[in-house]
Amino acid sequence: MKRLFSIVLACLLVLGVFSACSKQESGEESRSLKITYDAHYENMSESSVRAYTALCEAVMNGEEEAAFGHTMTDDVNTLYYTSFPLSALVSELHQTEDTNGFKIVYANDADAHKELVEEFSKKVFEIQDACGLGSVSNDRFVFNLYTYICENVTFDDTVLAPYETIMNGSGSLQSISQAFEYILCQSGIKASHITNFDSGVNVLSAVYFSNAWYLFCPALEIKNTEGKGLEYFAMSFERASTTLGVDTLTYSDLTEVDPTYFAETEYDKLESATSYTDDSGDIVAECSDGQFTLPLK
């Protein structure tokens, strides 16, 4: 009887282990990349967003074709090339013969493509976890991601794709900004790509942070303060204009941005913040006129 009981108990333990593994695997599988896009386009038609989603899902799954109405092609291209880093794994898109969608040509064979998509997903999740997604407030997550990028990415003008910046930890103004925006959008935080061709600086990120819109540039932080400061964190338009010579801002579709969107000056003391400390939840920046504690919400 004792022997029978021992056998039953052992079987139950084995089943318990497999059940736990199954649950863990199920949890891992349930975490997948979202199909996100620049907040500037949030009023785009639902049909265009569905078509863009169909294209992105086709690329992520390594499919050879994505179907959607030909009238949505321009909108799909706009979203695809501004908001989807995995476009770097596609060598060509060709409109289908009936013009209702795209044929997709990949840069790698099917197995390699699948592996690269998985590695990219894991890297995005790794960055989100390192920045405390789900365990910190949105404002704190923005700060954590900004400083994570500043500490872990090197500046390289030859790297233009946000995919490369996320995977390899180097990038240009363009790619670092887009990587920053992409991970924010993946994390449920509104962000937009901003360009300015009237000054030497032509790329900024607009982020909904601390209940208002602010301008950010982690790439310039890396380039000019070696990633140790907060000089380009949460800038108002006034501060960006003074610091960077910014006059006119445009979205990626070249429509002009209303500068009053960036009217809040709560963080403008950071203009001279070349270093900061993060101790017990309080972030204290060392500025030219003394210390400034960030009022993170």
Coordinates of all heavy atoms in Angstrom, one line a residue, residues 137-146 180 184 188-191 205-216 230 232-236 239 261-262 264 266-268 270 283 292 294-297:
S137 N 5.3 53.9 -12.7 CA 4.4 54.8 -13.4 C 4.9 55.0 -14.8 O 6.0 54.8 -15.1 CB 4.2 56.1 -12.6 OG 5.4 56.8 -12.7
N138 N 4.0 55.5 -15.6 CA 4.3 55.8 -17.0 C 5.5 56.9 -17.1 O 6.4 56.8 -17.9 CB 3.1 56.3 -17.8 CG 2.3 55.2 -18.3 OD1 2.6 54.0 -18.1 ND2 1.1 55.5 -18.9
D139 N 5.4 57.9 -16.2 CA 6.4 58.9 -16.2 C 7.7 58.4 -15.8 O 8.8 58.7 -16.4 CB 6.0 60.0 -15.2 CG 4.8 60.9 -15.7 OD1 4.4 60.7 -16.9 OD2 4.3 61.7 -14.9
R140 N 7.7 57.5 -14.8 CA 9.0 56.9 -14.4 C 9.5 56.0 -15.5 O 10.8 56.0 -15.7 CB 8.8 56.1 -13.1 CG 10.1 55.4 -12.6 CD 11.1 56.4 -12.1 NE 12.4 55.8 -12.0 CZ 13.3 56.2 -11.1 NH1 13.1 57.1 -10.2 NH2 14.5 55.6 -11.1
F141 N 8.6 55.3 -16.2 CA 9.1 54.5 -17.3 C 9.7 55.3 -18.4 O 10.8 54.9 -18.9 CB 7.9 53.7 -17.9 CG 8.4 52.7 -19.0 CD1 8.9 51.5 -18.7 CD2 8.2 53.1 -20.3 CE1 9.3 50.7 -19.7 CE2 8.7 52.3 -21.3 CZ 9.2 51.1 -21.0
V142 N 9.2 56.5 -18.7 CA 9.8 57.3 -19.7 C 11.2 57.7 -19.3 O 12.1 57.7 -20.1 CB 8.9 58.6 -19.9 CG1 9.6 59.6 -20.8 CG2 7.6 58.2 -20.5
F143 N 11.3 58.1 -18.0 CA 12.6 58.5 -17.5 C 13.6 57.3 -17.6 O 14.7 57.4 -18.0 CB 12.5 59.0 -16.1 CG 13.9 59.2 -15.4 CD1 14.5 60.4 -15.6 CD2 14.5 58.3 -14.7 CE1 15.8 60.7 -15.1 CE2 15.8 58.5 -14.1 CZ 16.4 59.7 -14.3
N144 N 13.1 56.1 -17.1 CA 14.0 55.0 -17.1 C 14.4 54.6 -18.6 O 15.6 54.2 -18.8 CB 13.2 53.8 -16.5 CG 13.1 53.9 -15.0 OD1 13.6 54.8 -14.4 ND2 12.2 53.1 -14.4
L145 N 13.5 54.7 -19.5 CA 13.8 54.3 -20.9 C 14.8 55.3 -21.5 O 15.8 54.9 -22.2 CB 12.6 54.2 -21.8 CG 12.8 53.9 -23.2 CD1 13.5 52.6 -23.4 CD2 11.5 53.9 -24.0
Y146 N 14.6 56.6 -21.2 CA 15.5 57.7 -21.7 C 16.9 57.4 -21.2 O 17.9 57.4 -22.0 CB 15.0 59.0 -21.2 CG 15.7 60.2 -21.7 CD1 15.4 60.8 -22.9 CD2 16.8 60.7 -21.0 CE1 16.1 62.0 -23.4 CE2 17.5 61.8 -21.5 CZ 17.2 62.4 -22.6 OH 17.9 63.5 -23.1
F180 N 13.5 55.0 -29.5 CA 12.9 55.5 -28.3 C 11.3 55.6 -28.4 O 10.6 55.1 -27.6 CB 13.5 56.9 -28.0 CG 12.9 57.7 -26.8 CD1 13.0 57.1 -25.6 CD2 12.5 59.0 -26.9 CE1 12.5 57.8 -24.4 CE2 12.0 59.7 -25.9 CZ 12.1 59.1 -24.6
L184 N 8.4 53.3 -26.5 CA 7.3 54.0 -25.7 C 5.9 53.6 -26.2 O 5.0 53.2 -25.4 CB 7.5 55.5 -25.9 CG 8.7 56.1 -25.1 CD1 8.8 57.6 -25.5 CD2 8.5 56.0 -23.6
G188 N 2.6 51.5 -24.3 CA 1.3 52.2 -24.1 C 1.4 53.7 -23.8 O 0.5 54.3 -23.2
I189 N 2.5 54.3 -24.2 CA 2.8 55.7 -24.0 C 2.8 56.4 -25.4 O 3.5 56.0 -26.3 CB 4.1 55.9 -23.3 CG1 4.0 55.3 -21.9 CG2 4.4 57.4 -23.1 CD1 5.3 55.1 -21.1
K190 N 2.1 57.5 -25.5 CA 2.0 58.2 -26.8 C 3.3 58.9 -27.1 O 3.9 59.6 -26.3 CB 0.9 59.2 -26.8 CG -0.5 58.6 -26.7 CD -1.6 59.7 -26.8 CE -3.0 59.1 -26.8 NZ -4.0 60.2 -27.0
A191 N 3.7 58.8 -28.4 CA 5.0 59.4 -28.8 C 4.8 59.7 -30.3 O 4.1 59.0 -31.1 CB 6.2 58.5 -28.6
S205 N 11.8 63.9 -30.4 CA 10.7 63.0 -30.1 C 9.7 63.8 -29.3 O 10.1 64.4 -28.3 CB 11.1 61.8 -29.4 OG 12.0 61.0 -30.1
A206 N 8.4 63.7 -29.7 CA 7.3 64.3 -28.8 C 6.8 63.1 -28.0 O 6.4 62.1 -28.5 CB 6.3 64.9 -29.7
V207 N 6.7 63.4 -26.7 CA 6.2 62.3 -25.8 C 5.2 62.9 -24.8 O 5.4 64.0 -24.3 CB 7.4 61.7 -25.0 CG1 6.9 60.6 -24.0 CG2 8.4 61.1 -25.9
Y208 N 4.1 62.1 -24.6 CA 3.1 62.5 -23.6 C 3.6 62.1 -22.3 O 3.6 60.9 -21.9 CB 1.7 62.0 -23.9 CG 0.6 62.6 -23.1 CD1 0.2 63.9 -23.4 CD2 0.0 62.0 -22.0 CE1 -0.8 64.6 -22.7 CE2 -0.9 62.6 -21.3 CZ -1.3 63.9 -21.6 OH -2.3 64.6 -20.8
F209 N 4.0 63.1 -21.5 CA 4.7 62.8 -20.2 C 4.3 63.8 -19.2 O 4.1 65.0 -19.5 CB 6.2 62.9 -20.5 CG 7.1 63.0 -19.3 CD1 7.4 61.8 -18.6 CD2 7.7 64.2 -18.9 CE1 8.3 61.9 -17.5 CE2 8.5 64.3 -17.8 CZ 8.8 63.1 -17.1
S210 N 4.1 63.3 -18.0 CA 3.7 64.2 -16.9 C 2.5 65.1 -17.2 O 2.4 66.3 -17.0 CB 4.9 65.1 -16.5 OG 4.8 65.6 -15.2
N211 N 1.5 64.4 -17.9 CA 0.2 65.0 -18.3 C 0.3 66.2 -19.3 O -0.5 67.1 -19.3 CB -0.5 65.5 -17.0 CG -0.9 64.4 -16.1 OD1 -1.3 63.3 -16.5 ND2 -0.8 64.6 -14.8
A212 N 1.4 66.2 -20.1 CA 1.5 67.2 -21.1 C 2.5 66.6 -22.2 O 3.1 65.6 -22.0 CB 2.1 68.5 -20.5
W213 N 2.6 67.4 -23.3 CA 3.5 67.0 -24.4 C 4.8 67.7 -24.2 O 4.8 68.9 -23.9 CB 2.9 67.3 -25.7 CG 1.9 66.3 -26.2 CD1 0.5 66.5 -26.1 CD2 2.1 65.1 -26.8 NE1 -0.1 65.4 -26.6 CE2 0.8 64.5 -27.1 CE3 3.2 64.4 -27.2 CZ2 0.7 63.3 -27.7 CZ3 3.1 63.1 -27.8 CH2 1.8 62.6 -28.1
Y214 N 5.9 66.9 -24.3 CA 7.3 67.5 -24.1 C 8.1 67.0 -25.3 O 7.8 65.9 -25.9 CB 7.9 67.1 -22.8 CG 7.3 67.8 -21.6 CD1 6.3 67.2 -20.9 CD2 7.9 69.0 -21.1 CE1 5.7 67.8 -19.8 CE2 7.4 69.6 -20.0 CZ 6.3 69.0 -19.3 OH 5.8 69.6 -18.2
L215 N 9.2 67.6 -25.5 CA 10.2 67.2 -26.5 C 11.4 66.6 -25.9 O 11.9 67.0 -24.9 CB 10.6 68.4 -27.4 CG 9.5 69.1 -28.2 CD1 10.0 70.5 -28.6 CD2 9.2 68.3 -29.4
F216 N 11.9 65.5 -26.5 CA 13.0 64.7 -26.0 C 14.0 64.5 -27.1 O 13.7 64.4 -28.3 CB 12.6 63.4 -25.5 CG 11.7 63.4 -24.2 CD1 10.4 63.8 -24.3 CD2 12.2 63.0 -23.0 CE1 9.6 63.8 -23.2 CE2 11.4 63.0 -21.9 CZ 10.1 63.4 -22.0
L230 N 20.7 65.4 -18.4 CA 19.3 65.5 -18.7 C 19.0 66.8 -19.5 O 17.9 67.3 -19.4 CB 18.4 65.4 -17.5 CG 18.5 64.1 -16.7 CD1 17.8 64.2 -15.3 CD2 17.9 62.9 -17.5
Y232 N 18.4 67.3 -22.6 CA 17.5 67.2 -23.7 C 16.3 66.4 -23.2 O 15.6 65.8 -24.1 CB 18.2 66.6 -24.9 CG 19.4 67.3 -25.3 CD1 20.7 66.9 -24.8 CD2 19.4 68.5 -26.0 CE1 21.8 67.6 -25.1 CE2 20.5 69.2 -26.3 CZ 21.7 68.8 -25.9 OH 22.9 69.5 -26.2
F233 N 16.0 66.4 -21.9 CA 14.9 65.6 -21.4 C 13.7 66.5 -21.1 O 13.9 67.6 -20.4 CB 15.3 64.9 -20.1 CG 14.3 64.1 -19.4 CD1 14.2 62.7 -19.7 CD2 13.5 64.7 -18.5 CE1 13.2 62.0 -19.1 CE2 12.5 63.9 -17.8 CZ 12.4 62.6 -18.1
A234 N 12.5 66.2 -21.6 CA 11.3 66.9 -21.3 C 11.4 68.4 -21.6 O 11.2 69.2 -20.7 CB 10.8 66.6 -19.9
M235 N 11.7 68.8 -22.8 CA 11.9 70.2 -23.2 C 10.6 70.8 -23.6 O 9.8 70.2 -24.3 CB 12.9 70.3 -24.4 CG 14.3 69.9 -24.1 SD 15.4 70.0 -25.5 CE 14.8 68.7 -26.5
S236 N 10.3 72.0 -23.2 CA 9.3 72.8 -23.7 C 9.7 73.3 -25.1 O 10.9 73.3 -25.4 CB 8.9 74.0 -22.8 OG 10.0 74.9 -22.8
R239 N 12.3 76.1 -24.5 CA 13.6 75.6 -24.2 C 14.3 75.0 -25.4 O 15.5 75.2 -25.6 CB 13.5 74.5 -23.1 CG 14.8 73.8 -22.6 CD 14.5 72.9 -21.5 NE 15.4 71.8 -21.4 CZ 15.1 70.6 -20.8 NH1 13.9 70.5 -20.3 NH2 15.9 69.7 -20.8
Y261 N 1.6 73.0 -28.2 CA 1.5 71.7 -27.6 C 2.6 71.5 -26.5 O 2.5 70.6 -25.6 CB 1.7 70.6 -28.7 CG 0.5 70.4 -29.6 CD1 0.6 69.7 -30.7 CD2 -0.7 71.0 -29.3 CE1 -0.4 69.5 -31.6 CE2 -1.8 70.9 -30.2 CZ -1.6 70.1 -31.3 OH -2.7 69.9 -32.2
F262 N 3.7 72.2 -26.7 CA 4.9 72.0 -25.8 C 5.1 73.3 -25.0 O 6.2 73.8 -24.9 CB 6.1 71.7 -26.6 CG 5.9 70.6 -27.7 CD1 5.8 70.9 -29.0 CD2 5.8 69.3 -27.3 CE1 5.5 69.9 -30.0 CE2 5.5 68.3 -28.2 CZ 5.4 68.6 -29.6
E264 N 4.4 73.6 -21.6 CA 4.8 73.4 -20.2 C 6.3 73.6 -20.0 O 7.1 73.0 -20.7 CB 4.3 72.0 -19.7 CG 2.8 71.9 -19.7 CD 2.1 72.8 -18.7 OE1 2.7 73.1 -17.6 OE2 1.0 73.2 -19.0
E266 N 7.8 73.0 -16.8 CA 8.0 72.4 -15.5 C 9.4 71.8 -15.4 O 10.0 71.8 -14.3 CB 7.0 71.3 -15.2 CG 7.0 70.8 -13.8 CD 5.8 69.9 -13.5 OE1 5.1 69.4 -14.4 OE2 5.5 69.7 -12.3
Y267 N 10.0 71.3 -16.5 CA 11.3 70.6 -16.5 C 12.4 71.5 -17.1 O 13.5 71.0 -17.3 CB 11.2 69.3 -17.2 CG 10.3 68.3 -16.4 CD1 9.0 68.2 -16.6 CD2 10.9 67.4 -15.5 CE1 8.2 67.3 -15.9 CE2 10.1 66.5 -14.8 CZ 8.8 66.4 -15.1 OH 8.0 65.5 -14.4
D268 N 12.1 72.7 -17.4 CA 13.1 73.5 -18.1 C 14.4 73.9 -17.3 O 15.4 74.3 -17.9 CB 12.5 74.8 -18.6 CG 11.7 74.5 -19.9 OD1 11.7 73.4 -20.4 OD2 11.2 75.5 -20.5
L270 N 16.2 71.8 -16.3 CA 17.2 70.7 -16.7 C 18.1 71.1 -17.9 O 18.9 70.4 -18.3 CB 16.4 69.4 -17.1 CG 15.6 68.7 -16.0 CD1 14.8 67.6 -16.6 CD2 16.6 68.2 -14.9
I283 N 14.9 61.6 -8.2 CA 15.9 61.9 -9.2 C 16.3 63.4 -9.0 O 15.5 64.3 -9.2 CB 15.3 61.6 -10.6 CG1 14.9 60.2 -10.7 CG2 16.4 62.0 -11.6 CD1 13.8 59.9 -11.6
F292 N 18.0 70.2 -8.8 CA 16.6 70.2 -9.2 C 16.1 68.8 -9.1 O 16.6 67.9 -9.7 CB 16.4 70.7 -10.6 CG 15.0 70.6 -11.2 CD1 14.0 71.3 -10.6 CD2 14.8 69.7 -12.2 CE1 12.7 71.2 -11.1 CE2 13.5 69.6 -12.8 CZ 12.4 70.4 -12.2
L294 N 13.4 66.2 -9.9 CA 12.3 66.0 -11.0 C 11.0 65.7 -10.4 O 10.9 64.8 -9.6 CB 12.7 64.9 -11.9 CG 13.7 65.2 -13.1 CD1 15.1 65.6 -12.5 CD2 13.8 64.1 -14.1
P295 N 10.0 66.5 -10.8 CA 8.6 66.3 -10.2 C 7.9 65.2 -10.9 O 6.8 65.4 -11.5 CB 8.0 67.6 -10.4 CG 8.6 68.2 -11.6 CD 10.0 67.6 -11.6
L296 N 8.4 64.0 -10.9 CA 7.8 62.9 -11.7 C 6.4 62.5 -11.0 O 6.3 62.4 -9.8 CB 8.7 61.6 -11.7 CG 9.9 61.7 -12.5 CD1 10.7 60.4 -12.4 CD2 9.6 62.0 -13.9
K297 N 5.4 62.3 -11.8 CA 4.1 62.0 -11.3 C 3.9 60.5 -11.4 O 4.5 59.8 -12.1 CB 3.0 62.7 -12.2 CG 3.1 64.2 -12.0 CD 2.1 64.8 -12.9 CE 2.0 66.3 -12.7 NZ 3.3 67.0 -13.1

